[in-house]
Amino acid sequence: MKKLSLIFALLFSFMLVLSACGKDNADKDNNKTDNKTAEKAGNDLLKKVKDEGTLLIGTEGTYPPFTFHDTSGKLTGFDVDLATEVAKRIGVKPEFKETQWDAMFAGLDAKRFDIIANEVGIRPDRQEKYDFSDPYITSAGVLIAHKDNDKVKSFEDIKGLNAAQSMTSNYADMAKKYGAKIVGVDGFQQAVELLAQKRVDVTINDKLSFLDYKKQKPDAPIKVVATADDASSSGFMFRKNSDTLVDEVNKVLKDIVDDGTYKKISEKWFGEDVLK
């Protein structure tokens, strides 16, 4: 009898242990599910933006005609107009955060803004670290020299010359590829001013920026001497895992193009549809 009692006691204890282990495992599974749900909610940038009612937009503010200040001091430009329309269609207010180009990616990483609107070129190395919207503009790079410079006629001619470039831009990489010495600048405006003063030899930049600059300052002593064969595409840039916001931005971008609003904004700044 004592032996039977001992056996039953041992079996009961074993069952209690199994029950406790099962509960622990269930709790762990539930915690994992809760953590995944919380992580997913934390990555829902669209929900955050809508809850706060504001889309934080990083931009340069010194890069006409894409993002710059007009004579009254108001921030304006192609990217500013397009990003404002995107925010409006998402149902939130745009709040622009201005910063220098070379600090812009770090600002996105630090969550100072949700999106960058600054004609950011879509490149494989950037796509490894960041998410992009669908392309919203296509343009070619041009080599710009002083009007008195008759020696530079092609990209191959800039080897060893001083090129004014934003340090982390596509065009700085292009200038390096052709062997130029990079002189760091804050943006296109500073680059062409140095060029006009003959303090640098060349700059590589966006054709649309050059055309706009010459429209504003037709007497500027600069000229295009060569145009790159490959046009580059640009889009809004996001931190990785911003899927919900990226999807929503792409949706409203398509609507903006389809209903003709994009064409109106494009013609306002460039006189033509620059998405083609």
Side-chain angles (χ1 to χ4, degrees):
M1 231 11 223
K2 288 182 179 180
K3 287 183 179 181
L4 285 173
S5 298
L6 181 60
I7 290 171
F8 282 130
L10 288 172
L11 285 172
F12 182 70
S13 298
F14 184 62
M15 289 173 66
L16 286 176
V17 170
L18 286 177
S19 176
C21 289
K23 184 176 184 301
D24 287 344
N25 288 334
D27 288 342
K28 287 178 182 178
D29 290 340
N30 289 335
N31 286 337
K32 286 180 182 178
T33 302
D34 291 344
N35 289 338
K36 287 181 179 179
T37 302
E39 183 181 353
K40 185 176 180 180
N43 287 337
D44 192 345
L45 187 55
L46 177 62
K47 183 178 185 303
K48 169 188 171 294
V49 166
K50 287 193 170 185
D51 287 347
E52 295 178 356
T54 304
L55 180 65
L56 302 178
I57 305 166
T59 198
E60 197 171 355
T62 58
Y63 187 33
F66 302 100
T67 163
F68 68 105
H69 290 265
D70 62 19
T71 53
S72 69
K74 179 185 176 183
L75 181 67
T76 188
F78 173 79
D79 280 66
V80 174
D81 281 358
L82 188 60
T84 297
E85 184 67 22
V86 166
K88 174 185 171 184
R89 298 199 184 202
I90 290 175
V92 298
K93 293 181 179 179
E95 183 177 328
F96 291 92
K97 301 282 190 179
E98 294 179 55
T99 187
Q100 293 180 357
W101 169 260
D102 292 331
M104 201 167 295
F105 290 12
L108 184 65
D109 293 339
K111 299 184 178 181
R112 285 187 54 219
F113 22 82
D114 308 309
I115 180 175
I116 290 177
N118 207 93
E119 205 209 2
V120 183
I122 301 173
R123 307 186 330 200
D125 59 326
R126 289 176 181 161
Q127 288 174 304
E128 288 179 5
K129 187 174 181 182
Y130 300 99
D131 286 339
F132 281 88
S133 70
D134 294 334
Y136 63 76
I137 194 169
T138 301
S139 182
V142 291
L143 177 61
I144 307 167
H146 194 279
K147 70 179 183 64
D148 295 336
N149 190 334
D150 295 324
K151 294 182 179 179
V152 177
K153 297 179 181 179
S154 69
F155 288 99
E156 287 76 14
D157 293 335
I158 70 174
K159 184 175 181 179
L161 300 184
N162 292 324
Q165 308 292 158
S166 296
M167 295 299 290
T168 56
S169 69
N170 294 10
Y171 300 120
D173 292 341
M174 187 182 297
K176 290 175 187 175
K177 184 181 77 171
Y178 286 104
K181 300 174 184 176
I182 305 302
V183 176
V185 294
D186 293 335
F188 178 75
Q189 188 80 19
Q190 187 182 1
V192 290
E193 286 174 0
L194 290 177
L195 187 57
Q197 298 164 12
K198 296 186 178 181
R199 293 170 60 187
V200 296
D201 302 300
V202 295
T203 184
I204 302 175
N205 220 288
D206 187 272
K207 180 181 179 181
L208 297 173
S209 293
F210 173 81
L211 292 175
D212 178 74
Y213 185 81
K214 286 292 284 184
K215 183 173 67 177
Q216 304 300 327
K217 297 184 178 181
D219 297 329
I222 58 175
K223 62 182 179 181
V224 169
V225 296
T227 301
D229 293 332
D230 298 330
S232 61
S233 296
S234 300
F236 295 119
M237 193 170 86
F238 310 76
R239 288 182 298 279
K240 277 291 187 185
N241 302 316
S242 300
D243 301 27
T244 55
L245 183 58
V246 175
D247 290 344
E248 184 69 8
V249 168
N250 283 338
K251 177 180 175 295
V252 299
L253 269 178
K254 184 178 185 303
D255 292 342
I256 289 168
V257 172
D258 290 346
D259 68 18
T261 303
Y262 179 91
K263 185 178 180 181
K264 290 179 181 177
I265 295 173
S266 181
E267 288 179 344
K268 170 184 174 181
W269 292 105
F270 307 112
E272 61 181 76
D273 189 339
V274 294
L275 188 59
K276 297 177 180 178

